[in-house]
Amino acid sequence: MKAAVVVAIFLAFLAVVSCVELEKSTESGHVIQKRGVTITAKPPFPRCVFYECIANCRNRGYKNGGYCTINGCQCLR
């Protein structure tokens, strides 16, 4: 029974010490970093919007319109 009390006191001591160390590390560790300039690049494949693709294909004479693929708009005959 005495051993359990000693172990409990030891664990409580370790918990208090770790909390104090955690508070010290978080107080000095708050540094706000400014984000750099974001560079955006055009994706390697053409962007395709389905309703624009359908309309463009119909204007070109394809009666069934078209559909979007990774390579762009594909018109249907």
Side-chain angles (χ1 to χ4, degrees):
M1 187 67 158
K2 289 182 183 181
V5 172
V6 171
V7 171
I9 292 172
F10 181 71
L11 291 176
F13 175 75
L14 287 178
V16 169
V17 170
S18 65
C19 287
V20 170
E21 289 179 6
L22 182 63
E23 288 178 6
K24 286 181 183 177
S25 66
T26 57
E27 288 175 0
S28 63
H30 286 158
V31 176
I32 299 174
Q33 294 180 352
K34 188 175 181 181
R35 281 187 148 183
V37 177
T38 304
I39 298 172
T40 57
K42 190 175 180 181
F45 50 88
R47 294 188 61 170
C48 183
V49 180
F50 72 95
Y51 55 86
E52 291 177 354
C53 181
I54 293 170
N56 288 339
C57 288
R58 286 189 178 163
N59 286 339
R60 288 188 220 150
Y62 295 94
K63 64 178 183 176
N64 292 329
Y67 62 95
C68 294
T69 65
I70 196 166
N71 296 326
C73 182
Q74 296 293 320
C75 296
L76 299 171
R77 296 180 190 233

